[in-house]
Every structure is written in C-alpha cells, then in structure tokens.
Amino acid sequence: MQLNVQPGLLASDKAAEAEAIVGACVHCGFCTSTCPTYLQNGDELDSPRGRIYLIKEMLASGSAGPTTQQHLDRCLTCRNCETTCPSGVQYHDLLAIGRETVDALVPNRRRKIKRALVRTLLLARRPLAWATGLARSLSGLLPVATQRLLGPAPLFADAFEQRTGARVLIQAGCVQPHLRPDTDNALSHLLAQFGVAVEWVHGCCGALSAHTSAEQQARELARANLQQWRDAAARGDIVAIVSTASGCGLQLAEYEALLGQQLTAEDRELIGKVCDPVTVIAQLHAQQPDVLPDLANAEPIAFHCPCSLQHGLGLSDAVQRLLTDLGASLPTITDSHLCCGSAGSYSIFEPAMARSLRDQKLGHLQQSLPATLLTANIGCQMHLQGGTVTPVEHWLVWLARHTFLPIEE
Ligand code: SF4
Ligand code: SF4
C-alpha cells in the first residue's frame, strides 16, 4: 500500500514512519487469521489489514469519523499480527500514530473523561493501597468472587533490599504491588537463592497512559523511571532491570522508541538491560542447576503466555521451557497465541469483546483440568481469575511456593 500523509497533519518524522509502515504492507491478509478481534466478529475493519487501511485513509485525507476511532479502540494491541506478518509490518507503531491522530480529529469528551478517570484511579498508588488493604481486612464479608480477585494472603515477606553493588532492579508498578504483593517478593526470594541482590524502583512504567491516549504522560513517567535507574547505576552495577508484569516489562523495553533522540548513551545502555524475569532465572538456573526444585510431583498446571511476553518480547515458550526443564508437565494449549482479552485497560473499555475472549481462553486452558492456571502478567491474571474458580497465579509465585514450601503429595 502507498501512503502520502496529508501535509501538516503529522510531524515529519512521524509522517515518514507511517508512510514506511503502510508501504511495507502488501495487503496479503495473512495477519487476519491470527487477529483475535477479527476471529471473534469477522469484520474486516476489526482485522489488522482493515485497521491499516483505515489509518491510511485517515492520514491521507486528514479526516476521520467515529467509525475509525471505534475500530482502532477495539484493537487489543496484542501484536499477534506482527508475529504472523511475513513482511515485518510494525503494526503497533502505526496504531500508536493512528490513535493519536484519530483522537485529535474526533474529539470525544465522554471517552476522554472515562479514560482520564481510569488512569487517575489506577495510578493513584496510595488510595489503591488503602482500598486493597481495607478490602483484605474485610475479605470474609465480601462476595466469594471478590475474595478470589483479592487472592490468598501473601506468603512471602518483603525481601531484603540492597542499594549498592551488583543487583537486579525490580520495577514495582502501580497496580500489582497492591493486588498481588507476593509476585515481586517471590522473584526477590528466588534471586536471593541464587545469591543475586535486588533493589526496588517505584513508579508506573507508563503503559496505561500510552494505551489510553496519554502519550505525553507516558513519556514523563518513562523519564522519571530512567532518572531512578541512572541514580541506581551510580551506586553500583545493574545486572538487569525487570518487571514481573510482562505488559510493564514490554513498555520498559520500548523506552528507546518512546523517547528517541532525548536519550543519552547511558540511558540506552540501561534500557538494554531491561528483560523479563524468566530470562534472568533461566540463565541463573543454567549456571546453578541445583537451586530450583524438582517439579515432577507438582499439581497439574496450565500456562497462559501473555501477548506482551510472546508477541511483544518474543519469549513465547521461555516460561514453559524452564518449568518443563524442572520436571513440570505442561499441556499444549489450543490457540495459545491468542489474547485472553485483558490487554491492559482493554477489558475496562471493551468489556464484551474482553469477556468473550476470556471465556474462550479459559475453555482452552482448562481442557486438561489443571489445579492451577499460571501466567506472567497481572492484567491477564486478574482478568482470567474473574472468570474461573481455579486459582490463577503468577508463575514466579508458583515456582517460589514450590521452592520454599514442600510439595504436598
Ligand atoms: S500480514 Fe502483514 S503484509 Fe499482509 S496484510 Fe497483514 S500487515 Fe499487511
Ligand atoms: S494487535 Fe491484535 S487485535 Fe490488534 S490488529 Fe493486531 S492481532 Fe488484531
């Protein structure tokens, strides 16, 4: 496809980027076969090819209507289409340009307020901590479904933090530390078993802002995190920078694309250290194979690989490989490449599509009757837990539980 962006509509670098991405698309349609929204409703405009076409029309004409906005909103940003595309079309970059443009061309006050409200609520760490703390203390009085969402009482105490010397930085996000405080602690206890120290960095990664049309806020959050990383690097060697929520990890890994020319060489070096915890644990396990437990007698599990991990970070089977290497038995999941419908804040804004995708995913995950479902992202964890009585756990918590507590036979 060829695109000539309407003069003056975009900054010149963004216009050139959009033209290059659209130009790479040969309209073959291979991507439609793996697009969850297209597979749900069969609407070409809810497929990657259809959305590329809508964005192309908008950028060429400089005009758009609510239909374009609706179909772009309905995209999960799961990037399954990028994994499938034989031409290497960087769809998510084009989508970001498309969303920013459509929001400018189609002002929608109600939509804007709703998004700002969700951002404010989820980014307000103190009120969130207070609300989850109160809910936990009243847990016995709450409906069973809400109790399941709150999860079990935390198992792992806050681990010792080291602020100098060689260490892994754990980027603690905004939502997970309150909803599932065990996840970061499980990672820190596992790393301690390998003799690796950790330091926490507190601050939202910016993914929620980026996904709700607040690019400027996403950039500010990224800059604030980079400052904390630089400060930490000044106190000692940073081995890796990780987030236990793969959606946040993907956002951190893409700070270079977000901030571009504003970055220094030191910033780029630090961004290069961002990786998923599975990469760190798998490397340590290869060096010290006796630290982690034999999982051959563990209860039946099934793993849902978040889109951010498989399509975003390209680690489609890293967790499965590690757990299988430890003796765990993992069933093959039908359509494991498809999104569960969580997709960051998507399940809040597009609840019908999100529920439909979740129910389909749970059906596939539960085919082998697992006792526990595992995943690697807080969004997927909460979204899936909302649709099943089977416990949904972060794989790090499950692994830490089996490392530090005996397996019941
Ligand atoms: S698979 Fe790639 S090249 Fe083919 S239509 Fe989809 S985005 Fe375009
Ligand atoms: S990102 Fe996901 S939902 Fe969006 S067009 Fe690509 S495959 Fe479809």
Side-chain angles (χ1 to χ4, degrees), residues 52-69:
I52 290 172
Y53 185 76
L54 286 172
I55 295 170
K56 172 184 171 284
E57 287 298 293
M58 172 174 65
L59 297 181
S61 67
S63 65
T67 304
T68 300
Q69 191 168 49

Side-chain angles (χ1 to χ4, degrees), residues 287-314:
Q287 291 158 6
Q288 303 176 53
D290 297 330
V291 171
L292 296 176
D294 178 357
L295 298 172
N297 292 322
E299 77 270 26
I301 49 172
F303 179 72
H304 164 57
C305 190
C307 299
S308 43
L309 194 61
Q310 56 175 322
H311 304 301
L313 293 167

Side-chain angles (χ1 to χ4, degrees), residues 20 22 24 101 115:
V22 171
T101 310
R115 281 161 188 257

Side-chain angles (χ1 to χ4, degrees), residues 148-149 151-152 180 183 302 304 362 365-366 371-395 397-398 401:
R148 270 201 301 275
L149 285 177
R180 288 293 185 276
T183 309
H304 164 57
L362 282 170
L365 284 168
Q366 292 181 312
T372 307
L373 298 176
L374 303 183
T375 189
N377 187 50
I378 182 70
C380 308
Q381 188 178 355
M382 301 304 288
H383 183 58
L384 290 172
Q385 189 66 85
T388 180
V389 296
T390 306
V392 186
E393 226 173 12
H394 196 293
W395 71 271
V397 175
W398 187 82
R401 203 153 51 76

